[in-house]
Amino acid sequence: MAVRKIRFRIIVLFIVGAIIIVGVGLLAGLITTQNKVEATMDRDLDVIANMADRLISSEMDLLREKDITLAHSIAYTYDTDLMAQVIEEQLGKLEYKDFIGITIFNQTGAIASIGRFPISTELLDDEYIQRAFEGEAVYSTVRQSPGSDKLVIHICVPVRKNVVLVATVDGLFFHNFLKDFKIWDTGHVFLMDGEGYMISNPREEWIHDRINPIVLAETDHSYDGVASTMKRMIQGESGVSRYTIDGVERICVYRPVSSSLVGWSLGAVAPLPESPMNDIQIGFLIVLIICLILCALTAFII
């Protein structure tokens, strides 16, 4: 009987010791691996965010230069009919296919309009048009074209003193470049303006309905995390954050859009449950279970 008790105690001590040794070793390995994987995830998302920034910035620069070229073509033309004729001829060229409307303003209102979606005098006091009067070449946010449900973006550039040219492009122009970015299963890249309204997001209703998580967070605290991140983005910051939407924790790498003069930012975001870390944790758990079974079998055999 005494021998059996001693043998039982030895087995228990052996198993407990094995559990401690194996558990501590696997835990240390898991923590080290998790830290390295998270650092790799951050770097990968940062690479994607940089790629998206270069793509969007190059397209913004290209459209802005085309708009400026149109403005230069009428810089010394003072007859409004001739202005419209010159612009209409230019719009017939393939390189201007993305412009779906052109409007020329002076300080009193619209003096010439060309295309399917020009804008009216009612937008004369628009902040973006006023910045163009001050000499800047700027993009508006996504908004509805006056008198229709069409989403548009306006590119406002100076022509000469007290005259500006406003080119209209499809409101989903930049979204169409970013919508095919896919990170893991459902991760994506989003683009927002300087107030937090979406210019590109896989939830297209957020673009159409002007959904702003910062505004949503005022009444729904489930958006507090993403709203906090977006507030930092509005300040022009770059960084990494974690927040939860729809009960799913996400990691986001964010940065300003290099070619934006009006505070646009973008973020590369992916759900953490879709990350490789889940598979690694499951793998470590399986190894732990196998080790414990082997230790128990060895103890009884001995």
Side-chain angles (χ1 to χ4, degrees):
M1 183 68 70
V3 173
R4 287 182 180 179
K5 287 183 179 180
I6 293 173
R7 187 170 183 273
F8 177 75
R9 289 174 182 173
I10 292 173
I11 291 173
V12 170
L13 290 173
F14 184 89
I15 293 174
V16 171
I19 290 174
I20 294 173
I21 293 171
V22 173
V24 170
L26 288 176
L27 181 61
L30 179 60
I31 293 173
T32 301
T33 302
Q34 184 169 333
N35 289 338
K36 290 184 178 180
V37 169
E38 288 183 354
T40 301
M41 287 161 45
D42 291 351
R43 286 195 298 270
D44 289 347
L45 288 177
D46 186 56
V47 169
I48 293 171
N50 284 330
M51 289 173 57
D53 176 45
R54 287 196 295 270
L55 174 61
I56 294 302
S57 292
S58 65
E59 290 299 325
M60 292 185 77
D61 290 341
L62 183 60
L63 285 179
R64 187 186 289 117
E65 286 303 315
K66 289 179 180 179
D67 201 12
I68 290 172
T69 299
L70 286 178
H72 288 169
S73 71
I74 59 170
Y76 299 101
T77 304
Y78 293 85
D79 181 271
T80 55
D81 291 335
L82 185 55
M83 281 184 181
Q85 180 182 339
V86 171
I87 295 298
E88 195 161 8
E89 289 175 356
Q90 294 293 326
L91 290 183
K93 298 179 180 179
L94 182 62
E95 61 189 288
Y96 295 107
K97 63 181 176 61
D98 295 317
F99 291 162
I100 56 177
I102 297 289
T103 306
I104 304 168
F105 285 88
N106 63 16
Q107 291 285 6
T108 61
I111 57 176
S113 298
I114 307 97
R116 292 175 293 151
F117 294 97
I119 58 178
S120 61
T121 297
E122 66 188 56
L123 286 179
L124 178 62
D125 294 330
D126 177 78
E127 63 171 298
Y128 305 106
I129 294 177
Q130 290 302 311
R131 289 179 65 171
F133 276 121
E134 295 171 2
E136 297 184 68
V138 297
Y139 280 78
S140 76
T141 187
V142 174
R143 50 194 180 183
Q144 284 188 340
S145 179
S148 78
D149 293 330
K150 175 72 174 176
L151 291 179
V152 296
I153 294 174
H154 296 125
I155 312 169
C156 310
V157 302
V159 175
R160 56 177 179 265
K161 186 177 181 180
N162 296 327
V163 179
V164 302
L165 184 149
V166 180
T168 303
V169 297
D170 191 295
L172 298 180
F173 181 84
F174 295 106
H175 173 67
N176 290 333
F177 283 98
L178 295 177
K179 66 182 181 181
D180 293 328
F181 274 77
K182 188 176 181 181
I183 307 168
W184 302 331
D185 293 329
T186 59
H188 58 272
V189 174
F190 69 89
L191 177 66
M192 69 178 215
D193 68 14
E195 296 181 355
Y197 292 97
M198 293 297 154
I199 298 169
S200 177
N201 193 287
R203 305 173 181 85
E204 287 196 14
E205 67 274 13
W206 283 25
I207 306 173
H208 288 276
D209 298 337
R210 301 281 287 160
I211 301 297
N212 187 330
I214 296 175
V215 177
L216 292 178
E218 295 175 359
T219 54
D220 185 347
H221 294 297
S222 67
Y223 290 94
D224 283 349
V226 64
S228 176
T229 296
M230 292 176 65
K231 287 177 182 178
R232 293 196 293 272
M233 295 171 71
I234 288 173
Q235 297 301 316
E237 296 181 18
S238 300
V240 181
S241 68
R242 285 170 172 74
Y243 54 80
T244 299
I245 292 183
D246 299 329
V248 179
E249 187 178 4
R250 303 165 194 268
I251 180 173
C252 176
V253 172
Y254 55 90
R255 57 165 298 136
V257 175
S258 302
S259 290
S260 172
L261 301 177
V262 287
W264 288 13
S265 297
L266 60 81
V269 57
L272 283 175
E274 297 174 7
S275 75
M277 200 59 234
N278 273 355
D279 295 333
I280 292 172
Q281 290 172 344
I282 292 172
F284 270 90
L285 180 60
I286 292 172
V287 170
L288 176 61
I289 293 172
I290 292 173
C291 287
L292 294 179
I293 292 173
L294 291 175
C295 288
L297 290 174
T298 301
F300 280 107
I301 291 172
I302 294 173

